[in-house]
Amino acid sequence: MTGYQRALDDLGHNSHDALGRRLTVEQIAERIGKRTTYLRNALCATDEHHPVDSSLVVALTHATG
């Protein structure tokens, strides 16, 4: 697992909103306008068959704070 994959996995599983509540992958997907299944696969560090499009990194960063 690369550092990039680990960072994406952490982003999808350990992000919180402004009030400190954990964001679900569903909530993150909604914020960036992607399907939940796509994002869940893309953020999974062990799934190398569905890498996240690097153009989404900025959107993910904004959506998760």
Side-chain angles (χ1 to χ4, degrees), residues 16-33:
H16 296 82
D17 67 11
L19 299 175
R21 296 176 297 214
R22 187 173 118 14
L23 290 171
T24 65
V25 174
E26 291 82 7
Q27 290 169 317
I28 297 169
E30 183 177 319
R31 288 178 177 203
I32 65 169

Side-chain angles (χ1 to χ4, degrees), residues 18-61:
L19 299 175
R21 296 176 297 214
R22 187 173 118 14
L23 290 171
T24 65
V25 174
E26 291 82 7
Q27 290 169 317
I28 297 169
E30 183 177 319
R31 288 178 177 203
I32 65 169
K34 294 293 180 184
R35 291 179 297 119
T36 300
T37 54
Y38 164 79
L39 191 59
R40 183 174 284 116
N41 290 335
L43 294 177
C44 181
T46 59
D47 186 353
E48 296 181 11
H49 299 292
H50 300 94
V52 71
D53 181 349
S54 61
S55 67
L56 290 178
V57 172
V58 172
L60 285 168
T61 302

Side-chain angles (χ1 to χ4, degrees), residues 2-27:
T2 67
Y4 179 72
Q5 290 168 315
R6 187 174 290 117
L8 289 174
D9 186 70
D10 185 61
L11 183 73
H13 295 95
N14 296 309
S15 293
H16 296 82
D17 67 11
L19 299 175
R21 296 176 297 214
R22 187 173 118 14
L23 290 171
T24 65
V25 174
E26 291 82 7
Q27 290 169 317

